[in-house]
């Protein structure tokens, strides 16, 4: 049902003020009907002899979420945002933006084109376009800079800050804040300004905040962020626009910004980041769950006060929920709580939170020694030793103690959830909640469902993840779920490349040049090589791993046998002075010996070959995970990798990257590798089908 412009923006008169109410679900994003409605109602208000002033408000306690992101990349129909905002600035009557909820992107730009801005104290405002690979393209870089100065504009826009209204008032962005009804406050504000008389202020004509600006601030911000902005377009264009606001006349600055916006719009980065925006939201949707309501989760028990358990406790307490943290001894609990306090202290010292928020969160974490403490909790998460025997013991006890309907979750990173669920009398209530370390920081949360889990339990776990501010991805219970299964596959491909002639630093440098924050070998050295060494030996002992296979690279075993466990012993794939890693020539000698033992001829390799082999391994494995039903859709793989495994967001994720290369091209590469390694490179049927359909991923 298409909403008519006159319904997208309603009109009424209140006490001599024209009230424009925007009602364009779900979040008042500037879709065509809303843009047309704004033009219609602005003209109506300006020509209405009864209306002495104009107030713009959003229905359902939310202002405007910005431009309609779904329209990007499609031909523009209807008035452009900048035309609406110019129309506002030509109004002979004062316009007051009444902001509640969010005013983001084009939403705040709309408010900045008004004469005044009144906000509810709970409202937040921001120019967040950089998250989409864009910049505020409807005057935001110009009006905000002239209203609040270039330093504030650089900070808010480059960091996509959601600024609380009181702080925005201190910065000069908002004129008044109210704890009451924002519409009434805005009308009263308009009437008061009418009584004082015009002219009505225009942010675009302000000059006081752009006097004597030191041009070096722009060079400094570029230099400071050069590494972080590698591969990006928008940040550089944003700095240019803010600099232009301090040097160009208003209309020239607006024109400059519109050109810069086009540069961002046309970049592949914008497509990738907008893909992730919608992919993140799609990932939260569980197919087949219509009508299934989540259970309420207000109190949570955690078993294991170690690093993971403590981090999970923090993320739950930060969300305002009560947490009981259990361990086997008071010493273990005290040590766990001490680690939690230390983490909070670091966050406060970094300014990423405040002491009173930390005190409140700590007040919600209670150390307990007895399982009985979990009798009334709504959810328990175990974060104990990764052994099925230990999990069985824990879940048997939980099953006996917890109330009916309590959800029992395991933080396991690879064990089969059904094998855990089947020891309880409530297998339907058992789910995996795979947090990523540090659990109080990492956004990704893999919700792992076994065949025994009920849909209500799955929906409840996904909703709980959102409550924590996490990015949930629903995974099936194959080995390694989604993220680690792909990590395992591309890690073993990298190990084969080492035997074919590459070195750890060459592979890591190629991955960093692609956009990963860190290469796989540096990551392994940081994690420590000894843990996975023990796992491999256990697997080999029970015949689950053939160390004699031509594709098995024993380099990590040999490093461990030399006592080189990585960063913690000063040597691993790299040699370390503190955290500074340098390549090890003796390791390259070891690799030459291994290649000889395996009968593999070492050849020089290009970075492009390395990237294609590793990315193709990720994509082919991802396609298998989707076709086997362990992921709901290809974009979920992208969300998992962008939010949990350091995949550069500006590339949209491995599956999106493959789509940008062309699935037929990726399929051809996989076939090429299959010709060389038949048993390692079976093409995924899903990839083959989509490549042959000449289309992208169908879900
Ligand atoms: N355009 C289109 N759809 C949007 C949208 C938008 N701007 N924002 C949200 N949606 C959809 C979303 O896909 C989901 O759809 C539903 O609304 C609820 O979203 C010219 C160029 C406002 C804080 O980046 O941050 O302005 O899944 O689950 O948790 O300079 O939505 O239900 O089908 O996120 O209550 C800049 C993006 C745009 C803000 C609300 N603005 N949105 O959070 O709901 S570019 C943004 C958000 C721009 C100008 C530039 C959040 C929210 P579905 P949700 P929420």
């Amino acid at each position: 049902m298409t909403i008519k412009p006159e319904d997208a923006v309603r009109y009424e008169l209140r006490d001599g003020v024209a009230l424009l109410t925007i009602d364009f679900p779900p979040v008042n994003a500037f879709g065509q009907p809303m843009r047309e409605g704004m033009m219609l109602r602005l003209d109506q208000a300006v020509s209405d002899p009864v209306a002495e002033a104009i107030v713009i408000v959003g229905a359902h306690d939310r202002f405007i979420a910005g431009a309609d992101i779904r329209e990007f990349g499609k031909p523009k129909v209807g008035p452009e945002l900048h035309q609406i905002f110019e129309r506002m600035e030509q109004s002979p009557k004062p316009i007051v933006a009444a902001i509640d909820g969010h005013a983001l992107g084009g939403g705040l730009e709309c408010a900045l084109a008004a004469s005044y801005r009144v906000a509810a104290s709970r409202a937040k405002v921001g120019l967040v376009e950089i998250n989409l690979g864009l910049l505020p393209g409807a005057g935001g870089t110009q009006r905000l800079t002239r209203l609040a100065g270039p330093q504030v504009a650089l900070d808010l826009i480059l960091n996509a800050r959601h600024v609380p209204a009181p702080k925005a008032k201190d910065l000069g962005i908002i004129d008044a804040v109210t704890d009451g009804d924002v519409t009434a406050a805005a009308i009263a504000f308009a009437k008061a300004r009418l009584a004082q008389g015009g002219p009505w202020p225009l942010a675009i004509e302000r000059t006081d905040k752009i006097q004597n600006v030191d041009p070096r601030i722009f060079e400094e911000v570029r230099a400071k962020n050069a590494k972080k902005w590698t591969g990006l377009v928008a940040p550089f264009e944003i700095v240019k626009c803010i600099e232009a606001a301090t040097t160009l006349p208003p209309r020239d600055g607006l024109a400059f910004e519109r050109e810069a916006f086009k540069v961002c719009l046309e970049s592949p980065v914008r497509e990738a980041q907008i893909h992730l925006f919608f992919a993140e939201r799609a990932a939260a949707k569980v197919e087949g769950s219509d009508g299934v309501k989540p259970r309420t989760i207000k109190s949570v028990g955690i078993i294991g006060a170690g690093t993971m358990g403590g981090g999970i406790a923090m993320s739950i307490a930060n969300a305002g929920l009560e947490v009981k943290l259990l361990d086997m001894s008071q010493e273990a609990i005290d040590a766990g709580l001490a680690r939690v306090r230390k983490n909070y202290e670091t966050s406060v010292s970094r300014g990423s939170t405040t002491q009173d928020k930390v005190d409140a969160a700590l007040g919600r974490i209670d150390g307990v020694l007895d399982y009985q403490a979990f009798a009334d909790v709504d959810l328990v998460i175990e974060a104990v030793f990764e052994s099925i025997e230990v999990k069985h013991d824990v879940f048997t006890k939980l099953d006996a103690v917890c109330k009916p309907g309590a959800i029992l979750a395991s933080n396991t990173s690879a064990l089969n959830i059904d094998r855990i669920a089947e020891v309880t009398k409530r297998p339907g209530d058992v789910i995996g909640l795979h947090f990523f370390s540090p659990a109080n920081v990492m956004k990704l949360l893999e919700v792992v469902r076994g065949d025994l889990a009920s849909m209500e339990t799955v929906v409840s776990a996904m909703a709980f993840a959102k409550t924590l501010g996490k990015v949930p991805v629903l995974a099936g219970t194959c080995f390694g779920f989604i993220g680690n299964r792909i990590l395992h596959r591309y890690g073993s491909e990298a190990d084969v490349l080492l035997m074919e002639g590459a070195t750890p630093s060459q592979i890591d440098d190629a991955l960093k040049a692609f956009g990963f924050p860190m290469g796989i070998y540096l990551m392994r050295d940081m994690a420590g090589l000894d843990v996975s060494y023990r796992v491999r030996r256990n697997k080999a002992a029970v015949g689950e791993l053939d160390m004699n296979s031509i594709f098995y690279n024993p380099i990590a075993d040999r490093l461990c046998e030399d006592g080189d466990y990585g960063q913690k012993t000063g040597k691993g794939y790299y040699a370390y002075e503190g955290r500074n890693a340098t390549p090890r020539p003796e390791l390259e000698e070891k690799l030459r010996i291994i290649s000889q033992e395996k009968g593999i001829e070492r050849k020089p390799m290009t970075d492009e070959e390395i990237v294609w082999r590793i990315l193709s391994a990720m994509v082919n494995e991802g396609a298998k995970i989707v076709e086997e039903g362990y992921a709901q859709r290809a974009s979920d793989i992208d969300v998992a990798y962008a939010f949990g495994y350091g995949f550069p967001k500006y590339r949209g994720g491995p599956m999106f990257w493959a789509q940008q290369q062309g699935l037929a091209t990726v399929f051809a590469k996989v076939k090429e590798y299959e010709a060389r390694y038949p048993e390692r490179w079976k093409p995924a049927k899903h990839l083959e089908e989509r490549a042959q359909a000449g289309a992208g991923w169908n879900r």
Side-chain angles (χ1 to χ4, degrees):
M1 181 264 289
T2 314
I3 296 176
K4 295 197 198 79
E6 56 271 28
D7 298 330
V9 184
R10 295 195 295 270
Y11 186 92
E12 64 182 286
L13 281 170
R14 268 204 212 161
D15 194 13
V17 173
L19 181 61
L20 276 51
T21 302
I22 296 167
D23 192 355
F24 192 61
V27 292
N28 292 344
F30 264 118
Q32 183 191 344
M34 189 174 140
R35 284 183 278 111
E36 288 173 345
M38 278 296 283
M39 285 304 236
L40 174 77
R41 300 305 191 187
L42 281 170
D43 291 345
Q44 181 177 356
V46 168
S47 57
D48 186 335
V50 177
E52 296 174 284
I54 301 166
V55 166
I56 301 172
V57 70
H60 317 299
D61 299 334
R62 53 171 66 200
F63 192 61
I64 300 171
D68 187 328
I69 304 174
R70 283 169 292 221
E71 291 180 348
F72 293 135
K74 295 173 190 157
K76 203 71 163 177
V77 184
E80 299 267 8
L81 286 185
H82 72 85
Q83 292 168 323
I84 297 169
F85 303 159
E86 278 155 24
R87 183 71 59 86
M88 289 171 66
E89 291 183 326
Q90 288 152 8
S91 162
K93 304 176 180 178
I95 300 179
V96 181
I99 300 170
D100 202 347
H102 283 103
L104 297 175
L108 178 55
E109 290 178 303
C110 176
L112 292 173
S115 324
Y116 303 101
R117 287 150 293 283
V118 173
S121 47
R122 65 187 176 189
K124 291 191 176 173
V125 301
L127 293 175
V128 297
E129 290 85 341
I130 195 169
N131 289 341
L132 303 170
L134 293 169
L135 56 82
T141 64
Q142 307 302 304
R143 293 188 177 94
L144 184 68
T145 303
R146 287 171 170 270
L147 206 53
Q151 292 281 27
V152 168
L154 286 168
D155 176 50
L156 266 50
I157 299 173
L158 291 171
N159 296 297
R161 294 204 192 287
H162 287 215
V163 184
K167 169 88 175 144
K169 180 170 185 299
D170 294 345
L171 296 173
I173 301 167
I174 300 286
D175 297 289
V177 172
T178 175
D179 288 331
D181 173 68
V182 73
T183 305
I187 290 172
F189 188 96
K191 307 268 303 161
R193 287 294 176 282
L194 281 168
Q196 289 168 355
W200 317 118
L202 290 179
I204 196 63
E205 288 171 1
R206 288 274 294 272
T207 55
D208 53 302
K209 290 287 178 76
I210 56 170
Q211 302 299 331
N212 317 315
V213 172
D214 179 351
R216 285 175 300 181
I217 63 171
F218 303 107
E219 215 25 67
E220 279 159 16
V221 79
R222 283 189 197 83
K224 184 165 151 263
N225 293 286
K227 201 154 151 278
K228 186 173 140 192
W229 293 351
T230 308
L232 299 180
V233 170
F236 297 99
E237 294 302 321
I238 287 167
V239 175
K240 283 188 217 165
C241 287
I242 293 171
E243 186 165 19
T246 66
T247 55
L248 298 180
R251 297 300 149 197
D252 296 349
L254 290 169
F256 183 94
E257 178 196 79
R258 275 202 294 282
E259 289 311 305
F261 181 75
K262 283 184 198 146
V263 172
C264 298
L265 203 56
E266 280 141 26
S267 86
V269 171
R270 183 265 305 164
E271 272 184 275
Q273 294 194 240
I274 287 183
H275 160 74
L276 274 179
F277 174 86
F278 289 117
E280 180 191 341
R281 284 152 182 80
K285 294 182 171 81
V286 179
E287 286 172 7
S289 68
D290 289 357
V292 179
K293 292 269 170 297
R295 290 179 204 157
T296 304
I297 295 174
K298 287 202 177 328
S299 59
V300 182
I302 296 174
I303 301 171
T307 309
M308 281 309 286
I312 296 169
M314 290 173 71
S315 60
I316 295 171
N318 293 344
L321 303 181
E322 297 298 320
V323 185
K324 293 185 190 316
L325 184 59
L326 177 139
D327 213 311
M328 294 301 111
S329 69
Q330 194 54 49
E331 293 74 20
I333 289 172
D334 294 346
L337 292 174
R339 194 180 301 114
V340 164
R341 266 191 290 279
K342 184 93 188 67
N343 288 340
Y344 274 131
E345 273 163 28
T346 310
S347 302
V348 171
S349 61
R350 284 193 187 139
S352 48
T353 186
T354 59
Q355 193 54 50
D356 54 0
K357 282 184 181 166
V358 162
D359 295 343
L362 283 170
R364 288 190 282 268
I365 302 176
D366 185 18
V368 297
L369 284 163
D370 187 332
Y371 272 73
Q372 277 308 332
F374 293 158
D376 296 329
V377 298
D378 304 311
L379 161 71
V380 181
I381 304 169
E382 68 69 21
V384 298
F385 188 65
E386 193 73 343
S387 121
I388 194 71
E389 293 75 20
V390 174
K391 311 275 188 199
H392 281 168
D393 175 52
V394 164
F395 278 78
T396 305
K397 285 179 183 157
L398 289 175
D399 198 24
V401 167
C402 295
K403 69 185 180 186
I407 291 171
L408 311 183
S410 170
N411 175 52
T412 179
S413 58
L415 297 175
N416 187 314
I417 298 297
D418 285 328
R419 300 292 74 75
I420 296 174
E422 62 197 10
V423 301
T424 71
K425 297 184 192 63
R426 59 175 96 188
D429 293 339
V430 178
I431 195 89
L433 287 179
H434 179 212
F435 288 82
F436 288 77
S437 186
N440 54 308
V441 173
M442 292 299 286
K443 298 293 278 180
L444 177 63
L445 178 52
E446 277 185 322
V447 175
V448 187
R449 73 167 155 193
D451 299 335
L452 303 176
S454 73
M455 181 58 87
E456 194 186 51
T457 296
V458 170
V459 165
S460 304
M462 295 292 278
F464 174 67
K466 292 270 285 183
T467 307
L468 300 187
K470 297 289 183 186
V471 175
V473 172
L474 184 58
T477 186
C478 56
F479 185 78
F481 314 140
I482 293 174
N484 283 348
R485 174 169 160 180
I486 291 174
L487 176 64
H488 180 79
R489 175 67 188 86
Y490 88 77
S492 79
E493 197 59 27
D495 289 343
V496 172
L497 292 173
L498 286 186
M499 293 192 289
E500 290 183 7
T503 62
S505 55
Q506 187 187 6
I507 291 176
D508 282 357
D509 292 348
L511 289 172
K512 279 185 66 177
F514 178 81
F516 283 91
M518 182 186 294
I520 186 162
Y521 291 105
L522 200 60
M523 199 162 63
R524 285 183 182 174
D525 269 356
M526 272 180 72
L529 305 179
D530 46 333
V531 174
S532 46
Y533 175 52
R534 277 199 300 275
V535 171
R536 285 196 301 277
R537 290 216 319 198
N538 295 342
K539 282 184 157 196
V542 296
E544 283 177 9
L545 173 67
D546 173 11
M547 289 184 161
N548 300 316
S549 154
I550 185 173
F551 303 114
Y552 181 76
N553 185 339
I555 184 66
D557 305 329
R558 293 186 188 175
L559 286 171
C560 289
E561 280 141 23
D562 292 350
D564 296 345
Y565 295 159
Q567 212 173 74
K568 60 181 157 186
T569 58
K571 274 195 266 184
Y573 287 101
Y574 295 90
Y576 292 88
E577 274 166 39
R579 299 171 69 89
N580 184 26
T582 47
R584 296 177 63 191
E586 68 273 34
L587 180 123
E588 291 170 31
E589 182 48 32
K590 285 179 186 286
L591 287 170
R592 265 190 286 281
I593 292 167
I594 289 170
S595 302
Q596 220 164 14
E597 287 166 1
K598 299 278 182 179
I600 297 173
E601 186 200 349
R602 294 183 70 79
K603 282 188 276 190
M605 208 172 287
T606 65
D607 288 0
E608 192 190 1
E609 275 174 277
I610 289 171
V611 167
W612 264 97
R613 278 279 286 279
I614 286 184
L615 267 292
S616 305
M618 284 185 192
V619 173
N620 200 43
E621 198 64 25
K624 287 178 181 172
I625 292 171
V626 174
E627 81 190 32
E628 292 164 16
Y630 291 119
Q632 296 189 96
R633 51 187 82 82
S635 61
D636 284 7
I637 310 273
D638 291 335
V639 174
Y641 259 65
F643 288 92
Y645 288 81
F647 198 97
K649 289 197 172 96
Y650 68 83
R651 293 192 186 264
M655 310 306 269
F656 184 82
W657 171 86
Q659 202 166 272
Q660 278 193 322
Q661 309 310 312
L663 297 187
T665 305
V666 176
F667 176 63
K669 276 284 184 190
V670 171
K671 290 295 285 177
E672 188 189 304
Y673 303 144
E674 182 192 27
R676 288 168 59 189
Y677 306 108
E679 56 282 29
R680 273 180 73 78
W681 280 96
K682 285 271 161 285
K685 286 189 196 58
H686 188 44
L687 172 61
E688 184 166 6
E689 281 159 14
R690 302 314 296 162
Q692 279 159 4
W697 305 105
N698 58 343
R699 58 195 175 99

